[in-house]
Amino acid sequence: MSRLSAPMYFDQVRAIARYTLLEARRNHLLWLVVLTILAAVGLAGFLGQVAITEVQQIQAAFLGALLRWAAVFIVSLAVITGMVREFNDKGFELVLSLPLPRAGYFFGKLAGYAAVAMLVAVCMSVPLLLVVPPDQAALWGVSLACELLLVCALSLLCMLTLNQTLPAFAVVAAFYLLARSISSIQLMGQGPLVDTASWSQQAVQFIVDAVALILPNLERFTATDWLVYHSGLPMSLLPIAGQSLIYLVLLTGAGLFDLYRKNL
């Protein structure tokens, strides 16, 4: 295989990313996002009607949580189903048979799905303007974009490794749930009713702490406090951006390693 020039390489990566975006549009992903937003706003409005006090705070917390979970679900499902369709249609083998390095294919798909994630993050942030100040909605949206980038990279890695929809989605969901709740699990292990002197509890706590070191602390992402108490600051995005960059590099490296070891 001849070596590609840098302009040709980036042109092919851009073409793969563009095709990925077109595929998401043909799958009516935007309509799904719009319907989800309408449903979330309607439920938040109903909740505001039955709430007695702190109506706006309750609506903001509910709307933010619902939109965040919906965004993660939609993006992960878009990546997984898109890759499954490409595997079934033999498009994966066709693209890799062209004079394009496997890294180019991977970065093209990642860039395309990252653009989808950015679009979803922007759309999910707009309804928050109904209940929170614009600066807090913007901070929340940037944090959600970082979160969805990690979900994109993880979903792509799981599909390249597992090649099956259900196992890949299960791994992504388990990783996300554990990363968002690991801090709470650590606090539960240090409660007053826990016998911290027993060797079994110490072993469990050691395992939990080790897992916490490996996983990103997604509990700091898209914080509900920003929406309820308007406490978000631009400086709050620095550790979020740092974690996102580190884990994005790790997930990308793992995905490239798995892609290059495949025999096609």
Side-chain angles (χ1 to χ4, degrees), residues 147-230:
E147 195 169 343
L148 294 181
L149 277 178
L150 297 183
V151 171
C152 277
L154 178 63
S155 301
L156 189 57
L157 169 63
C158 290
M159 272 310 304
L160 291 175
T161 304
L162 303 175
N163 298 330
Q164 297 291 330
T165 304
L166 186 58
F169 187 76
V171 172
V172 173
F175 179 92
Y176 183 78
L177 290 172
L178 189 58
R180 286 209 66 96
S181 59
I182 191 64
S183 297
S184 300
I185 296 174
Q186 285 181 295
L187 291 176
M188 290 170 58
Q190 300 170 359
L193 300 179
V194 178
D195 183 13
T196 56
S198 65
W199 68 268
S200 59
Q201 179 59 34
Q202 291 179 358
V204 171
Q205 191 64 34
F206 175 79
I207 295 174
V208 172
D209 292 340
V211 173
L213 287 175
I214 298 173
L215 294 175
N217 188 9
L218 293 184
E219 192 175 2
R220 302 182 64 176
F221 290 58
T222 56
T224 305
D225 295 347
W226 301 350
L227 305 180
V228 176
Y229 304 111
H230 307 161

Side-chain angles (χ1 to χ4, degrees), residues 1 34 41 45 48-49 52 105 110 128 148 168 173 196 204 206 212 244:
M1 182 182 299
V34 171
V41 172
Q49 295 296 322
I52 299 176
Y105 170 82
L110 183 60
L128 293 175
L148 294 181
T196 56
V204 171
F206 175 79
S244 301

Side-chain angles (χ1 to χ4, degrees), residues 37 44 52 82-83 87 102 126 142 152-153 157 159 243 247 260:
I37 291 174
I52 299 176
M83 292 301 298
F87 289 155
R102 297 190 181 191
V126 172
V142 173
C152 277
L157 169 63
M159 272 310 304
Q243 285 194 66
Y247 283 94
Y260 272 97

Side-chain angles (χ1 to χ4, degrees), residues 49-89:
Q49 295 296 322
V50 299
I52 299 176
T53 60
E54 298 182 338
V55 175
Q56 193 170 11
Q57 288 80 0
I58 293 175
Q59 286 181 316
F62 175 81
L63 189 60
L66 189 57
L67 291 175
R68 182 184 69 240
W69 285 103
V72 171
F73 176 80
I74 290 173
V75 169
S76 62
L77 202 61
V79 176
I80 292 173
T81 55
M83 292 301 298
V84 167
R85 186 178 299 107
E86 190 157 325
F87 289 155
N88 293 337
D89 295 341

Side-chain angles (χ1 to χ4, degrees), residues 11 18 23 32 47 96 118 122 132 136 156 163 166-167 200:
D11 286 343
R18 181 174 177 272
E23 182 187 29
L32 178 59
L47 188 62
L96 293 185
M118 297 301 100
V122 171
V132 300
Q136 300 300 309
L156 189 57
N163 298 330
L166 186 58
S200 59

